[in-house]
Amino acid sequence: MNITMTEARLRPETHIDLLELVSMEGRYYMARFYIGDDAFILVNREQRPVLFTSTCDARDAFHHFHIHQIEIIPPSGTDEMVGMTSDSVTEMRVRF
């Protein structure tokens, strides 16, 4: 589900179980987060994903929430190069 930062702040659930900072081509980071069983992608007013220029910028944007865990998911372009299918790939995750 897409959600803007304004909508996220208005939600009564302010505890984020997991914040994932997904690297987009190693240049930008997209925020994907989970509140209970609900998954969200942070978007702007035009419903496009908010792209942060650093992991610290993304973390700072979420400073008002209580976050249990933050993980960075770096890109893995080599999987495509060697012909691995997406279902056989395990994402690498780094705790932040």
Side-chain angles (χ1 to χ4, degrees):
M1 175 188 307
N2 293 347
I3 191 168
T4 65
M5 187 58 80
T6 302
E7 293 168 332
R9 287 186 181 139
L10 295 176
R11 292 181 60 86
E13 309 92 334
T14 56
H15 286 63
I16 293 177
D17 298 311
L18 174 62
L19 170 60
E20 297 174 331
L21 303 177
V22 182
S23 178
M24 308 299 289
E25 303 295 327
R27 185 172 176 191
Y28 297 106
Y29 294 88
M30 178 185 73
R32 181 170 57 201
F33 59 99
Y34 300 86
I35 299 173
D37 293 331
D38 297 324
F40 301 94
I41 293 176
L42 185 64
V43 295
N44 60 21
R45 289 182 214 163
E46 291 80 32
Q47 295 297 305
R48 292 196 173 113
V50 174
L51 299 178
F52 298 96
T53 56
S54 73
T55 55
C56 290
D57 287 345
R59 182 185 59 185
D60 291 346
F62 284 85
H63 76 277
H64 58 279
F65 290 103
H66 299 282
I67 301 173
H68 181 261
Q69 184 174 341
I70 302 174
E71 293 181 346
I72 300 170
I73 303 176
S76 181
T78 57
D79 298 332
E80 291 179 13
M81 288 187 247
V82 297
M84 293 179 71
T85 60
S86 60
D87 59 342
S88 65
V89 175
T90 302
E91 285 181 329
M92 183 171 88
R93 293 172 174 266
V94 180
R95 287 193 81 164
F96 186 60

